[in-house]
Every structure is written in structure tokens, then in C-alpha cells.
Amino acid sequence: MRSWSAQNVPKLPGESIPLRLYDTSAKQVRQTDPGPTARMYVCGITPYDATHLGHANTYHAFDLVGRLWRDAGHEVHYTQNATDVDDPLLERAAQTGVGWQDLAEREIELFRGDMEALRILPPREYVGVTEVVGGVAELIAKLSAKGVTYSLDGDVYFSVADAPKFGQVSGYDETEMLALFAERGGDPDRADKRHPLDWLLWRAERPGEPAWESRLGKGRPGWHIECTAIALDNLGAGYDVAGGGSDLIFPHHECGASEGHAATGEWPFAKFYTHAGMVGLDGEKMSKSKGNLVFVSKLRREHDPMAVRLVLLAHHYRADWAYVPALIADAERRLARWRSAVRLASGPDAGELLARVRERLADDLDSPAALAAIDAWAEAALTGGGSDPDAPALVKDLADALLGVAL
Ligand code: 5CA
Ligand code: ZN
């Protein structure tokens, strides 16, 4: 599918610092160690409702990862999917009387606009699952040939008993796994499964549901395998970062990691499994199914999109937080202060500020501390401190390149 447009990213002077990131699987912050080309896969939207602030928080976090790698001189190979056929999308389409393809297309287009407005750099490949059903079926056939799957009335399951690394991404115990599996699209209670946690790879055609001809017969892919197939196809095994929100730790990334391991023999399938926190409203996780959403499209119509971005930057990416309107008001004030400061003819030397922002972001994306450092520089500049004529332009460039904020 078409991705979205990229803005130019200014090149910054001086030395960058290697990025350290929290790896859910290792339960610690570790240094990323990409080659000349850093490879990242981030799980995309299921396009049945507009982009909410929670989605934006996740894509924003991984946008910072890409920006820091770029600043360190790496090429960034970034791939994202869109789950453009799945049960929730089909259900919403049926409820609203809109064709499921039209619904997906409309919401993906809105998502592209939201991402562009927030200046989130686009993936090199933006892949709809419906574009790659044949390839996903090939991967499932490969898993079957390795003896890790079984069929149930034409559906194909991955047998968790044949996943020796299962549990290593999430670190969850079986009770927790069973609860989350049921909550997040799994079917622990289906009769005749060998184990309640066996997960669906292929769903045979059902009356009234979309289905594709494939070497597995007519049907459609299960959820987790789509991301394994798309990542493998575009990035290859052992890629640097698999990303998403923390609701994807289990079962999605757990199952995907075992699929990748079974298919390629490589472990870990991704070097880092990194997760953004959940954004909520009124004390609950923001989700399409609960309907408690703050839409990016609405916020960015009513406020400067750069203020929306500053709301995200004001929270550490791994924190869970709740949206309240005071956040956008604070962000607008900050944006106005920064803009006034970079329009001055001079300011305090910004070399130290650049080093500080790089250092804070390289430490597991400590964006709140990076904002505080820029606040302090802006305050000093606006109160008449400093006489460096190059400083305002450098601050403008660093906010753009490292934080994606256009001043
Ligand atoms: N299509 C699948 C991934 S393959 C999916 O989870 N789609 S989604 O539309 O439900 O979510 C898209 C991305 O936003 C995922 O990375 C998810 O973890 C993240 N996300 C969803 N809700 C929130 C939230 N309330 N806060 C933060 N991130 C969220
Ligand atoms: Zn995914």
C-alpha cells in the first residue's frame, strides 16, 4: 500500500550517543546495536476506527527510535502492517452497513493524514494483510512442514507444545497467559484443541466472511502470523526492534516470536521487543471497543498538531497515562515559548543543550527530560541570556530532527 509522506530531517552537528532501549524480553534497558541499516517493525492499526491518542503514542515512540538511529548515521528500514481484515473490522463493518474494504480504506487514509500531521516518519513498506495472503499461507505451510501445526475442521493451529521459547517474550505465567489470551482475540475454550493456548494461524472460509484461495484452501490468516510473515519478508529474522503498545506483549508478540523461531531457527526473532504504555481516558485504557477515544483527527483540527506531539513527548513512552485537556493547554504554552525563543536574533550557546537532549533521548527515550532541557534554554534566551547568533537556528534544527517538532 501507499505509505505516507516524509518531511526532510535536518542533519545535526557533533556526536550522537548509541540508543539504549528497554527490552521487554530481557526486562532491562540495553544498548541497541544495529548495523549500517537498522531494522524495525511496528505493529500497525486495525483500521475500523480513527486513530486515537493511544495509537499516536505508540507510533510516536518508535518514531523517536528511528530519529535517534538516523542521528547516529544509520539508515532506517522500517516496516509496518495494517490489519485490514480481522474479526473486529468485519464486525464494525456489519454493524454500520459499510463494506469492510471501504471502512478499512477510509480509516487507513485518515491514519496517514494523522501521521503526517504529527510528523511521524513513514515506514518504507506499509503492508495491508490482504495484499500478502498468499505469502502468509506459504509461511504457514512451511510451519506445517516442520511439524509444529495441526488442523481442526480446516483451520490451522500452532501447537504451543512445539514452541520451546514460548513465554520468553512476556515472562508471564500460564494463568496470566490464559486470561490475556481470552481477552485479546484467542479461543482457549474451543473444543478439541490440544492445548488452550494453541493459536490460530489460518481460518478456513466461513459463510459471509471474506476468504482467499491459497495452498491451504480458501480462508484468511489468523492475527499473529501476519506480522511474522510481513517482518520476515521485508526485514528478515534477527531484526533490531519489534514494537507496539504493551497490550501486544501477550499473546501477539509472544506468538509471533515463536512462529519466527520455528520458521527460521533464529532466536530471538527480533533483538528487542519494546512496548509503549497505554493511554487512557476516564481511568480506562483507550480502546475502540470501549469507545472512550480521543481522536487525533479531532485534536489536530482544534489545536496545532505540534502541540499534540508535545503532549506525547511530555510523557515517557513506557508510562501509562490518561488524557486530560490541561495537557494540550500546557503543550500549546510550551510551543509558543519555544517558537518565541527560536525567533530571537541570539540566545545562549546551544551545543550543550544538543548534547543533553541526545543524552536523555539515548537513555530509553527520556523525552520529558529532553523537553525540560529545551524549556531551560528557551527561558534563558527569552530573559535576555546569551549572545550566540547561531543558537536559535540550532535549537530549531534539534527540535525538528530529534523530537519531530517543527518550530
Ligand atoms: N493491528 C494490530 C497490531 S498487528 C493492533 O493491535 N491494532 S490496534 O489498532 O488495536 O492498535 C494499533 C497499535 O496501537 C498497537 O501497537 C497497539 O498496541 C497500540 N495501542 C492500541 N490502543 C492503545 C492505547 N490505548 N494506548 C497506547 N497504544 C495503544
Ligand atoms: Zn502485529
Side-chain angles (χ1 to χ4, degrees):
M1 291 190 310
R2 195 168 57 74
S3 192
W4 57 91
S5 314
Q7 288 87 12
N8 186 43
V9 180
K11 277 254 161 285
L12 298 172
E15 288 280 303
S16 69
I17 299 167
L19 172 63
R20 292 160 53 77
L21 262 190
Y22 187 82
D23 175 19
T24 300
S25 179
K27 293 193 170 68
Q28 61 180 357
V29 176
R30 299 194 288 121
Q31 189 173 314
T32 63
D33 186 23
T37 300
R39 295 172 293 161
M40 175 162 69
Y41 183 93
V42 179
C43 284
I45 55 165
T46 304
Y48 66 91
D49 219 336
T51 321
H52 61 63
L53 208 56
H55 300 133
N57 186 60
T58 290
Y59 302 113
H60 172 257
F62 295 96
D63 187 54
L64 295 181
V65 171
R67 285 172 184 275
L68 287 207
W69 278 339
R70 275 185 185 81
D71 183 50
H74 300 281
E75 285 274 329
V76 178
H77 186 171
Y78 174 25
T79 303
Q80 186 178 133
N81 70 310
T83 307
D84 61 356
V85 61
D86 200 6
D87 298 343
L89 173 73
L90 299 174
E91 283 159 21
R92 178 64 61 89
Q95 279 162 18
T96 53
V98 182
W100 64 272
Q101 284 126 317
D102 294 338
L103 177 60
E105 210 173 290
R106 188 180 77 200
E107 298 305 328
I108 288 170
E109 188 53 24
L110 196 54
F111 175 72
R112 289 188 185 103
D114 290 336
M115 293 297 102
E116 270 176 25
L118 294 179
R119 301 178 99 246
I120 291 182
L121 296 169
R124 191 184 295 181
E125 294 92 13
Y126 187 36
V127 184
V129 178
T130 57
E131 298 177 297
V132 294
V133 174
V136 179
E138 289 293 331
L139 179 61
I140 297 169
K142 188 170 171 184
L143 293 173
S144 297
K146 291 186 186 270
V148 298
T149 73
Y150 63 93
S151 293
L152 199 59
D153 301 330
D155 297 340
V156 182
Y157 279 85
F158 196 112
S159 162
V160 72
D162 294 308
K165 306 287 190 186
F166 197 80
Q168 292 202 15
V169 171
S170 65
Y172 297 160
D173 64 27
E174 190 160 321
T175 314
E176 200 167 358
M177 286 182 181
L178 280 167
L180 291 172
F181 192 70
E183 198 180 297
R184 297 175 179 164
D187 55 357
D189 300 326
R190 179 167 176 181
D192 298 326
K193 277 172 68 174
R194 293 181 189 166
H195 189 288
L197 290 175
D198 292 344
W199 67 93
L200 185 73
L201 296 170
W202 182 260
R203 179 172 163 92
E205 183 176 22
R206 305 287 199 277
E209 286 188 12
W212 287 258
E213 278 300 350
S214 81
R215 57 179 297 165
L216 307 171
K218 255 190 134 181
R220 60 180 163 100
W223 175 26
H224 317 305
I225 193 73
E226 72 186 58
C227 290
T228 308
I230 296 168
L232 197 52
D233 204 33
N234 292 284
L235 301 172
Y239 62 94
D240 294 288
V241 168
S246 60
D247 59 339
L248 296 188
I249 295 172
F250 192 90
H252 189 53
H253 286 168
E254 191 73 80
C255 294
S258 282
E259 290 166 352
H261 180 224
T264 65
E266 272 210 50
W267 186 264
F269 183 55
K271 290 185 193 149
F272 281 70
Y273 285 88
T274 296
H275 298 97
M278 287 293 115
V279 179
L281 184 71
D282 304 331
E284 287 213 78
K285 172 193 157 185
M286 209 177 274
S287 78
K288 287 176 272 208
S289 47
K290 292 203 184 90
N292 59 339
L293 306 177
V294 176
F295 291 116
V296 172
S297 48
K298 181 163 183 287
L299 270 186
R300 70 179 169 90
R301 270 198 310 273
E302 293 167 358
H303 306 274
D304 190 314
M306 291 299 96
V308 181
R309 187 151 182 146
L310 281 172
V311 169
L312 304 175
L313 282 160
H315 298 88
H316 190 268
Y317 80 99
R318 283 201 279 130
D320 295 330
W321 53 279
Y323 179 75
V324 288
L327 288 170
I328 193 85
D330 287 348
E332 282 182 317
R333 275 193 294 275
R334 171 175 267 144
L335 185 62
R337 267 201 316 277
W338 288 12
R339 283 190 170 145
S340 307
V342 300
R343 281 185 192 123
L344 297 170
S346 64
D349 172 73
E352 238 174 73
L353 172 65
L354 173 56
R356 171 81 182 152
V357 170
R358 276 182 168 142
E359 187 261 320
R360 286 294 79 223
L361 290 176
D363 180 11
D364 198 29
L365 308 176
D366 186 358
S367 57
L371 298 195
I374 300 178
D375 285 343
W377 180 89
E379 199 52 43
L382 289 167
T383 50
S387 56
D388 181 350
D390 298 327
L394 180 55
V395 174
K396 192 164 187 271
D397 277 357
L398 78 86
D400 186 346
L402 298 176
L403 303 175
V405 176
L407 294 178

